[in-house]
Amino acid sequence: MAEISYLTQREAAEIDEVLMGPLGFSVDQLMELAGLSVASAIAEVYKSNEYSRILVICGPGNNGGDGLVAARHLYHFGYEPVVCYPKRTPKTLYTGLVTQLGALSVPFLSVEELPQDFSTDFDVIVDAIFGFSFQGKPRPPFDDLIHRLISLNNLSSTAEKSPAIVSVDIPSGWHVEEGDLDSEGGIKPHMLVSVIDSSKILRKEIYRASSFSRRQICPPPIANKYGLHLPPYPGTSMCVRIGEHLALDVSAMRQNYISPEFLEDHVLADPIEQFRKWFNVFKDGLAKGFDENGFVLYTNYESRKARELSANPNASLLFYWDPLNRQVRIEGTVERVPKEESEAYFHSRPRGSQIGAIVSRQSSVVAGRHLLHQAYTELQDKYADGSLIPKPEYWGGYRLTPTRFEFWQGQPSRLHDRLQYSLREAEGKRVWQIERLAP
């Protein structure tokens, strides 16, 4: 990512004045964009199936308005937001946001109704109390709320799962340009969702937070005047991660799956038909065909995988469907399919894929990507007249004849469903035996 630019507090205020003055934008437009970006950043990192309970603490100004908008979008994203908005602004814009949340039955809690300890009731806490324009020391009741957030700073070292703190634009109580001036330490957020041009000192001090730049309105006249360098936002994404990714605690990474039960009396007797049932729900392109005879895949016969199959003709296939919390592992013996079958499939592929299969001597060392493009272009020109592209001898299919299936479905608390089909001899016939495996 290119070097990003930073603004002072005064320059950031000037930009807001220009946007809402000569350029004709309204505060509700900017607030809607900010709140949606905050909700999108949260949804990217904290999945709703594990971090559903979200407390949004809103201050009296525009930062609090961003929090109200974020709460609305989080509700529509499948979360369960609760809002604390102790000093409500009587302006139409803010009362409208409160009305919208009320229509969704999003609960509003007073400071007195909140638990003194936030660590057990919430998975994520959104700090939308004070923004860039705040100066001075926090006054009641926000001083107490900030103190409760600060008390969570060291909780993660003693608890299996502590609430994640997400600060909007700046951790409340921090100085925009001088950082955390609290002698006892201020809020240490796990995530900061901010405009890209926030204080450089602020960015530097939040060393442990995941930093996201929220999508913002920045017409060329403003970008040119202040020398702003904004990051590219992928596609329609409302936010983009900036800076270096933090080191992850791999031992703490886990997902609590929520799925329907997958019981023995739910499955079909034939594992091929059971696989077909799951496969049709979520199409997968790994296997190019399957039936009662097995699973067919195509590759380069000179590749590393092909050499390994020649030495040991036993293999497994894995199909993983993340949105459904499902996985199927299939084990069996492997043999090449007849040449005629490989020919038929090769010529059913797009012509570009046929040329690609010829050009790529799979798993071999290539001096540079340009050589692949050069060889591809030469063959593309050679067969530009639409003539038949011959299948190379070193390319073809394999058929895996299954001897074992395992159907896995994720369940809460690691009590996953694992049903295994294995071939057994019974009365002179080979039949599939179904057994449940411990997760």
Side-chain angles (χ1 to χ4, degrees):
M1 180 179 294
E3 181 69 21
I4 61 177
S5 53
Y6 301 91
L7 297 179
T8 65
Q9 186 177 30
R10 178 183 57 79
E11 289 171 331
E14 288 177 2
I15 289 178
D16 281 345
E17 290 177 4
V18 174
L19 286 173
M20 291 183 285
L23 295 183
F25 291 96
S26 61
V27 64
D28 54 325
Q29 285 179 301
L30 302 180
M31 195 173 289
E32 186 67 29
L33 183 62
L36 176 57
S37 298
V38 170
S40 299
I42 291 173
E44 181 170 326
V45 176
Y46 302 107
K47 304 304 181 184
S48 61
N49 61 347
E50 190 172 358
Y51 295 86
S52 61
R53 305 170 302 167
I54 298 185
L55 171 63
V56 183
I57 306 178
C58 299
N62 290 348
N63 202 255
D66 295 347
L68 294 173
V69 174
R72 168 160 43 82
H73 287 291
L74 287 167
Y75 171 88
H76 290 299
F77 290 171
Y79 295 86
E80 300 171 7
V82 173
V83 176
C84 178
Y85 187 26
K87 296 289 185 180
R88 301 191 180 189
T89 304
K91 295 180 181 179
T92 303
L93 169 59
Y94 297 88
T95 58
L97 293 174
V98 171
T99 300
Q100 293 162 20
L101 289 169
L104 299 174
S105 298
V106 172
F108 279 78
L109 298 181
S110 66
V111 175
E112 294 73 24
E113 292 172 315
L114 288 175
Q116 190 64 32
D117 181 1
F118 290 157
S119 63
T120 58
D121 291 60
F122 307 106
D123 303 311
V124 176
I125 301 175
V126 178
D127 161 28
I129 302 175
F130 299 130
F132 291 136
S133 60
F134 177 78
Q135 297 184 18
K137 291 187 176 181
R139 291 181 291 183
F142 299 110
D143 55 349
D144 176 62
L145 290 169
I146 290 174
H147 180 75
R148 294 194 217 180
L149 293 177
I150 292 173
S151 69
L152 298 174
N153 285 350
N154 299 319
L155 186 63
S156 58
S157 62
T158 59
E160 180 178 350
K161 179 183 174 184
S162 60
I165 300 176
V166 177
S167 288
V168 179
D169 282 343
I170 182 174
S172 294
W174 282 41
H175 189 282
V176 175
E177 295 177 12
E178 297 180 29
D180 183 8
L181 300 180
D182 192 318
S183 59
E184 298 181 0
I187 297 172
K188 299 295 189 293
H190 301 80
M191 178 192 290
L192 176 70
V193 186
S194 178
V195 290
I196 190 67
D197 45 31
S198 62
S199 163
K200 187 170 185 177
I201 294 178
L202 173 66
R203 294 275 182 207
K204 183 177 179 180
E205 286 205 24
I206 303 183
Y207 59 89
R208 75 186 185 105
S210 297
S211 293
F212 280 79
S213 170
R214 54 178 172 83
R215 190 179 284 273
Q216 54 207 284
I217 298 171
C218 187
I222 289 181
N224 294 336
K225 179 178 178 180
Y226 292 95
L228 298 182
H229 302 288
L230 304 181
Y233 294 86
T236 58
S237 176
M238 299 305 300
C239 58
V240 61
R241 190 188 294 265
I242 61 174
E244 296 182 1
H245 287 251
L246 301 176
L248 295 177
D249 180 2
V250 178
S251 66
M253 295 177 65
R254 59 181 60 86
Q255 180 172 349
N256 197 35
Y257 298 95
I258 306 296
S259 307
E261 287 185 319
F262 183 52
L263 304 177
E264 287 83 343
D265 58 2
H266 292 171
V267 300
L268 301 173
D270 186 338
I272 294 287
E273 292 306 313
Q274 180 61 42
F275 178 84
R276 191 187 309 278
K277 182 178 179 180
W278 277 19
F279 184 86
N280 286 339
V281 173
F282 199 97
K283 296 286 194 280
D284 194 295
L286 175 61
K288 298 307 179 184
F290 66 92
D291 54 25
E292 65 277 2
N293 297 317
F295 294 76
V296 177
L297 57 98
Y298 291 88
T299 189
N300 188 304
Y301 285 152
E302 297 176 352
S303 65
R304 175 182 172 182
K305 118 171 118 270
R307 294 194 301 270
E308 291 175 347
L309 287 173
S310 295
N312 176 17
N314 297 284
S316 64
L317 300 175
L318 182 68
F319 295 83
Y320 176 60
W321 300 302
D322 180 67
L324 301 176
N325 299 334
R326 287 177 174 176
Q327 173 179 295
V328 182
R329 176 183 171 90
I330 306 165
E331 300 175 13
T333 58
V334 176
E335 61 181 356
R336 292 190 183 188
V337 303
K339 183 177 180 180
E340 296 76 20
E341 193 171 333
S342 293
E343 286 277 2
Y345 177 73
F346 181 82
H347 291 113
S348 73
R349 291 157 56 97
R351 291 178 67 83
S353 297
Q354 295 178 42
I355 294 174
I358 298 173
V359 168
S360 175
R361 306 303 287 257
Q362 196 176 91
S363 304
S364 63
V365 177
V366 182
R369 185 174 177 82
H370 66 285
L371 297 177
L372 294 174
H373 283 289
Q374 179 180 334
Y376 183 92
T377 301
E378 291 173 356
L379 287 179
Q380 195 174 38
D381 293 341
K382 180 178 180 179
Y383 297 107
D385 59 357
S387 59
L388 184 71
I389 302 174
K391 181 190 79 68
E393 290 297 321
Y394 51 79
W395 190 95
Y398 289 96
R399 176 174 284 104
L400 182 143
T401 303
T403 56
R404 185 187 305 269
F405 287 76
E406 183 187 320
F407 291 83
W408 177 95
Q409 182 148 301
Q411 297 293 356
S413 303
R414 289 199 73 257
L415 298 180
H416 311 310
D417 291 315
R418 296 178 62 193
L419 296 186
Q420 173 183 270
Y421 291 73
S422 53
L423 279 176
R424 298 284 192 271
E425 292 287 343
E427 299 180 357
K429 297 181 180 179
R430 290 167 65 82
V431 297
W432 290 103
Q433 179 178 350
I434 303 174
E435 300 170 302
R436 176 172 289 273
L437 303 179

